[in-house]
Amino acid sequence: NISIRSGGNTNLTFAAFQQYEIPAPAGGADVEGNNNLVLKFEDEEDAITYAEQLKNLSNQLNNKDTPQYQAINDIIMSIRNDEFVQSYSR
């Protein structure tokens, strides 16, 4: 699991994740205390694949100033900064 704090750059919450219609990873997405978003992955490779899918989605968005675009990039950065994903990528 990778938690996205609702106090991040975009204040991304589970509710906003749903509102922006960001696709969930294959393992799903859930909410934990303080409306934090939790993304569920089978393993680190699954998380990396999901981040790449989101990168492709963000590249398709015409307006790069939208909260949706910023939220997607927050998720990508949270995945890339996860200590387990970083260890796996080395």
Side-chain angles (χ1 to χ4, degrees), residues 6-71:
S6 59
N9 293 339
T10 59
N11 290 319
L12 180 62
T13 62
F14 180 75
F17 177 80
Q18 291 180 313
Q19 176 187 348
Y20 300 148
E21 298 180 351
I22 299 170
D30 207 351
V31 62
E32 68 177 21
N34 298 330
N35 205 17
N36 290 343
L37 172 64
V38 178
L39 302 173
K40 300 178 180 186
F41 301 101
E42 194 67 33
D43 54 26
E44 292 83 1
E45 185 175 344
D46 189 30
I48 293 168
T49 299
Y50 177 70
E52 287 300 315
Q53 291 169 344
L54 288 183
K55 181 134 179 79
N56 291 338
L57 176 63
S58 72
N59 289 336
Q60 294 172 6
L61 295 175
N62 293 329
N63 187 348
K64 307 298 186 204
D65 295 324
T66 64
Q68 179 188 28
Y69 178 82
Q70 294 170 359

